[in-house]
Amino acid sequence: MTAVEGTNVEIPTKDGVADAYLVHPADGKPHPGVLFYQDAYGLRPRLREMADRLAAEGYTVLVPNVFYRRGAAPVVELPEFIDPGADPSIWRRLGPLVGSLTPEQAERDADAFLDRMAADPLVADGPVALVGYCMGARLVLRTAATHPDRVAAGAGFHGGNLATEEPDSPHLGADNITAELYFGHADQDHSLPKSQRDRLENALTTAGVRHTAEVYPGATHGYTQSDTTAYNEEATERHWRALLDLLHRTF
């Protein structure tokens, strides 16, 4: 594994300044860029740890705080080990944050995040890859659809509400996507029932999007997050293999 260097950065956007974590191989050379979209718990040590592991594979990784309009991370103070069952107030505090990010805001943010990566000498020229977890998987779909010329690949893991019946559902942008996509769904995920998985699959197939969607048995929503009760080590390691396979094919 390659040594990495990480730092906190600020990204000007049309709505303010987003704080973010940027990590890259320590050789000082440009590497393919990966825009890493957070889960609902936000930018915290676990996500930095995951970004570090990805950077050690030879990528420059940017992890923005998408809740920056409500403050710098951590926007909501969380315990070191997150157990919503033991403390229901966690989701009472997080829910409004997740719901406050509109598709229009997400598109503007993606402009800023991608511009920041394009201007960074540590990011190789050309399109970047996307990876997202939980709500971040929705942002992967939206960014791939709204910035097709700037995204080479995208992966979403334990994503929720990817293909709803709402008029602004993320799957409705499938016709615009040119990137190759991968999804690792949790098989025990109330936020992405089989009806939504089927709807997403139909949308991507009809649009001719190169994609793979797999259901991870025994995995619950949030299975990659080792600082939560949802963590599943076997599913997490499977997710790493799938993600790196996609990135290695792309770059």
Side-chain angles (χ1 to χ4, degrees), residues 51-138:
D52 289 351
R53 178 168 173 174
L54 193 50
E57 295 287 343
Y59 302 97
T60 297
V61 186
L62 181 69
V63 192
N65 165 27
V66 303
F67 296 151
Y68 70 90
R69 293 174 181 84
R70 302 295 186 92
V75 180
V76 171
E77 292 291 342
L78 296 170
E80 288 187 14
F81 187 75
I82 302 168
D83 182 357
D87 183 4
S89 72
I90 291 175
W91 270 105
R92 287 199 297 270
R93 289 176 284 148
L94 285 172
L97 290 177
V98 176
S100 70
L101 184 62
T102 69
E104 294 76 18
Q105 289 174 336
E107 181 174 353
R108 292 198 299 272
D109 288 347
D111 289 338
F113 302 155
L114 293 171
D115 285 348
R116 172 63 176 77
M117 297 184 78
D120 197 315
L122 295 170
V123 178
D125 292 339
V128 305
L130 312 172
V131 62
Y133 301 85
C134 178
M135 64 172 287
R138 296 198 294 275

Side-chain angles (χ1 to χ4, degrees), residues 51-238:
D52 289 351
R53 178 168 173 174
L54 193 50
E57 295 287 343
Y59 302 97
T60 297
V61 186
L62 181 69
V63 192
N65 165 27
V66 303
F67 296 151
Y68 70 90
R69 293 174 181 84
R70 302 295 186 92
V75 180
V76 171
E77 292 291 342
L78 296 170
E80 288 187 14
F81 187 75
I82 302 168
D83 182 357
D87 183 4
S89 72
I90 291 175
W91 270 105
R92 287 199 297 270
R93 289 176 284 148
L94 285 172
L97 290 177
V98 176
S100 70
L101 184 62
T102 69
E104 294 76 18
Q105 289 174 336
E107 181 174 353
R108 292 198 299 272
D109 288 347
D111 289 338
F113 302 155
L114 293 171
D115 285 348
R116 172 63 176 77
M117 297 184 78
D120 197 315
L122 295 170
V123 178
D125 292 339
V128 305
L130 312 172
V131 62
Y133 301 85
C134 178
M135 64 172 287
R138 296 198 294 275
L139 297 176
V140 165
L141 267 177
R142 295 197 189 283
T143 302
T146 56
H147 299 78
D149 58 326
R150 306 184 72 174
V151 177
F157 297 94
H158 49 81
N161 296 316
L162 300 179
T164 71
E165 296 180 344
E166 297 300 315
D168 60 355
S169 176
H171 80 289
L172 296 176
D175 285 344
N176 297 322
I177 295 174
T178 59
E180 180 178 353
L181 302 181
Y182 176 90
F183 293 96
H185 303 311
D187 72 341
Q188 302 173 38
D189 193 341
H190 67 275
S191 68
L192 195 76
K194 186 176 185 301
S195 59
Q196 284 201 42
R197 298 199 301 267
D198 290 346
R199 190 177 294 127
L200 175 63
E201 177 65 26
N202 290 337
L204 296 175
T205 299
T206 300
V209 177
R210 294 167 297 152
H211 71 284
T212 301
E214 299 181 311
V215 178
Y216 290 19
T220 60
H221 184 80
Y223 61 78
T224 62
Q225 302 306 304
S226 61
D227 58 352
T228 77
T229 53
Y231 181 61
N232 181 311
E233 183 177 7
E234 181 179 355
T236 298
E237 290 308 309
R238 179 178 176 181

